Amino acid sequence: MFLTASGTQRICLIILNQPLNKDYLHILWRKALLRACADGAANHLYSSTAGDRDSFLPDYISGDFDSITAEVKAFYGDKGCKLIETADQDLTDFTKCLVIMVGEIQRRQLQVDAIVTLGGLAGRFDQTMASVETLHHALSMTPLPLLILQGSSLVHLLRPGSHRLEVNTGLEGSWCSLIPVGGACQTTTTGLKWNLSNQVLQFGKLVSTSNTYEPVGPGHPRKPVTVTTDQPLIWSMGICEDGQ
Amino acid sequence: MEEELTPLDCLLPSALLRACADGAANHLYSSTAGDRDSFLPDYISGDFDSITAEVKAFYGDKGCKLIETADQDLTDFTKCLVIMVGEIQRRQLQVDAIVTLGGLAGRFDQTMASVETLHHALSMTPLPLLILQGSSLVHLLRPGSHRLEVNTGLEGSWCSLIPVGGACQTTTTGLKWNLSNQVLQFGKLVSTSNTYEPVGPGHPRKPVTVTTDQPLIWSMGICEDGQ
């Protein structure tokens, strides 16, 4: 997981146009090799980092620039942040920002473990679903895992095949889920309280929500969760909130 | 046979039956302070792990039915819907739709569980089930043809068709970006940030028609004050 200040992974960070969780922002910003804002996300970054803006300058801001304010655009432009206008109306700001990010990672030959996105799961229902669509497109754009974090939810799309998820950082919340957005998935799991044994997950038949981790004895670490699926399958889990 | 629906008509008339799923009663209780007697649900159902003792006692004393549903395989929403459908039949009510407030925000898995309940509802009742939260409305279209009236004045500017359960062969009219027997499917084509076909000033919007071969989510914006 990517929220431990002392974790080992290197990430690239995309910020989307939604109110920012400052704790996540600070942790993820520090770990990121590249940082980008999708259009109006820059407004949120600007207001969240008042007093220390120079420590939070994105490498680029991309989008059709219909949300970013003139003041914010000028501020970051003057500071040397690249402003990349992407007029394509068939793709969302998120997808376009990801395209640029993938290109930059390749161009600079960066060793990166994952691309992490802040925002994209709240607000308009269609925009939440558009974020999930971007996760699907990402499968053919990059081999890197793409994660979306907002509030206390993390969303990640598992490729067809087998996966091993380490869930022992101490930052995991209590719930987890497997959601077959896009179609039926033949699924087998271990490490969950309610495992699947070569069962079909499909809307209208079976969707695994409000699942949790296999109980372990006191003092014992959680077992990893393994998931095998024949189609892309959403893994979504809770992030521990302060005090839990 | 075409299903006709005016999605936002539900914000206009009054409800024949009203229910809370578990902790929803807490929100109802706090939201209606000063006038609680005008907002007494017919029943509160759920496993009662969210409702506070104070709220439960208040509504119980007022005569609201408290229906404990312990089934852990179904969400509070689904269980509440099962009871609602039963009551509609028992009382032989003439109802046009079942409207749900909430279910689309917070934990991502719970939002998806609400969408799953929409799928289950297709086999539970012929009535349309709508979910409203914030400025979003979500409704699952059955396979077949649909005509959506979008002229109440309460419609926001965006709309969308989202093939959550799998590929949908889709044809539409009345949208700015229509589909012509195209396949909607995650990873290929999902219609988000769509809008209504422009019409001349003073002219009402045309209805939106959607034909689909599989259940397909219709989601639209609800106008917010001042827009």
Side-chain angles (χ1 to χ4, degrees):
Chain A
M1 265 271 289
F2 301 91
L3 292 177
T4 4
S6 58
T8 55
Q9 279 119 342
R10 290 150 309 180
I11 63 164
C12 290
L13 179 62
I14 292 177
I15 302 173
L16 299 183
N17 189 8
Q18 256 149 47
L20 278 174
N21 177 310
K22 279 192 190 170
D23 294 330
Y24 293 178
L25 174 67
H26 286 217
I27 292 167
L28 293 169
W29 191 276
R30 276 204 300 273
K31 295 166 158 289
L33 303 182
L34 278 177
R35 306 145 176 131
C37 291
D39 203 352
N43 301 332
H44 291 286
L45 181 67
Y46 183 81
S47 56
S48 293
T49 57
D52 196 16
R53 290 193 176 113
D54 284 6
S55 302
F56 294 91
L57 301 175
D59 293 276
Y60 66 92
I61 302 169
S62 68
D64 40 31
F65 294 148
D66 60 358
S67 299
I68 192 172
T69 68
E71 174 188 3
V72 168
K73 192 174 169 190
F75 174 81
Y76 287 116
D78 292 347
K79 292 286 181 176
C81 307
K82 268 205 253 172
L83 301 172
I84 308 177
E85 192 163 349
T86 53
D88 185 343
Q89 285 309 310
D90 280 347
L91 299 177
T92 60
D93 285 341
F94 180 16
T95 304
K96 290 182 286 190
C97 192
L98 180 64
V99 168
I100 296 165
M101 180 66 77
V102 168
E104 271 303 293
I105 290 169
Q106 283 172 352
R107 198 177 68 77
R108 301 187 195 198
Q109 297 194 313
L110 297 174
Q111 295 303 307
V112 174
D113 299 297
I115 300 172
V116 180
T117 307
L118 265 185
L121 302 177
R124 278 170 42 174
F125 184 77
D126 68 330
Q127 289 178 341
T128 299
M129 293 293 100
S131 297
V132 173
E133 174 65 347
T134 299
L135 291 179
H136 281 81
H137 284 306
L139 295 185
S140 53
M141 288 164 58
T142 172
L144 294 174
L146 176 61
L147 309 177
I148 307 180
L149 277 66
Q150 179 152 23
S152 61
S153 296
L154 175 150
V155 176
H156 171 56
L157 182 63
L158 302 169
R159 294 168 192 278
S162 291
H163 302 266
R164 180 188 169 96
L165 308 171
E166 296 290 343
V167 288
N168 260 309
T169 62
L171 297 167
E172 292 76 15
S174 59
W175 64 269
C176 57
S177 61
L178 287 163
I179 302 164
V181 176
C185 299
Q186 194 101 27
T187 314
T188 298
T189 70
T190 67
L192 298 175
K193 182 166 181 181
W194 292 285
N195 282 308
L196 297 157
S197 180
N198 204 29
Q199 288 163 266
V200 174
L201 289 175
Q202 185 172 25
F203 273 91
K205 296 198 175 56
L206 181 64
V207 178
S208 180
T209 60
S210 291
N211 207 331
T212 188
Y213 303 101
E214 186 182 318
V216 289
H220 285 93
R222 283 197 184 119
K223 294 180 184 177
V225 171
T226 70
V227 182
T228 303
T229 175
D230 68 337
Q231 294 294 331
L233 176 61
I234 291 278
W235 162 259
S236 181
M237 61 190 285
I239 306 166
C240 199
E241 288 174 291
D242 292 338
Q244 286 178 16
Chain B
M1 192 194 71
E2 197 175 65
E3 178 190 287
E4 291 207 13
L5 183 67
T6 308
L8 290 174
D9 185 85
C10 63
L11 287 177
L12 307 172
S14 57
L16 303 182
L17 275 178
R18 306 155 175 112
C20 292
D22 202 351
N26 300 334
H27 294 286
L28 182 67
Y29 184 80
S30 57
S31 293
T32 57
D35 195 15
R36 289 192 177 115
D37 283 8
S38 302
F39 294 89
L40 301 174
D42 293 276
Y43 67 91
I44 302 169
S45 66
D47 39 31
F48 294 148
D49 59 359
S50 300
I51 193 172
T52 68
E54 175 188 2
V55 168
K56 193 175 168 191
F58 174 82
Y59 287 115
D61 291 347
K62 292 283 183 181
C64 308
K65 266 204 256 176
L66 301 171
I67 307 177
E68 192 161 352
T69 53
D71 185 343
Q72 284 311 309
D73 281 346
L74 299 177
T75 60
D76 285 339
F77 180 15
T78 303
K79 290 183 288 190
C80 194
L81 179 64
V82 168
I83 295 165
M84 180 67 74
V85 169
E87 271 302 294
I88 291 169
Q89 285 174 346
R90 200 178 67 77
R91 300 188 197 198
Q92 298 194 312
L93 296 175
Q94 295 302 309
V95 174
D96 301 298
I98 299 173
V99 180
T100 308
L101 267 184
L104 302 178
R107 278 169 43 173
F108 183 79
D109 69 327
Q110 288 179 341
T111 299
M112 293 294 100
S114 299
V115 173
E116 175 62 350
T117 298
L118 292 179
H119 282 78
H120 284 306
L122 295 185
S123 54
M124 289 164 56
T125 171
L127 293 174
L129 176 60
L130 310 176
I131 306 179
L132 276 66
Q133 180 151 21
S135 62
S136 296
L137 174 150
V138 176
H139 171 57
L140 183 63
L141 302 169
R142 295 166 190 278
S145 291
H146 303 267
R147 180 189 168 96
L148 307 172
E149 296 290 344
V150 288
N151 261 307
T152 62
L154 296 168
E155 292 76 14
S157 59
W158 63 270
C159 57
S160 60
L161 288 164
I162 303 163
V164 172
C168 297
Q169 194 101 27
T170 313
T171 299
T172 70
T173 68
L175 298 175
K176 181 166 181 182
W177 293 284
N178 282 307
L179 297 155
S180 179
N181 204 29
Q182 288 161 265
V183 174
L184 288 175
Q185 186 170 24
F186 272 89
K188 296 198 175 56
L189 181 65
V190 177
S191 179
T192 59
S193 292
N194 206 329
T195 187
Y196 303 102
E197 186 183 317
V199 289
H203 286 92
R205 281 196 183 117
K206 293 180 185 179
V208 171
T209 70
V210 182
T211 303
T212 174
D213 67 337
Q214 294 295 327
L216 175 60
I217 290 281
W218 163 259
S219 181
M220 61 190 285
I222 305 166
C223 199
E224 289 173 290
D225 290 340
Q227 289 176 17

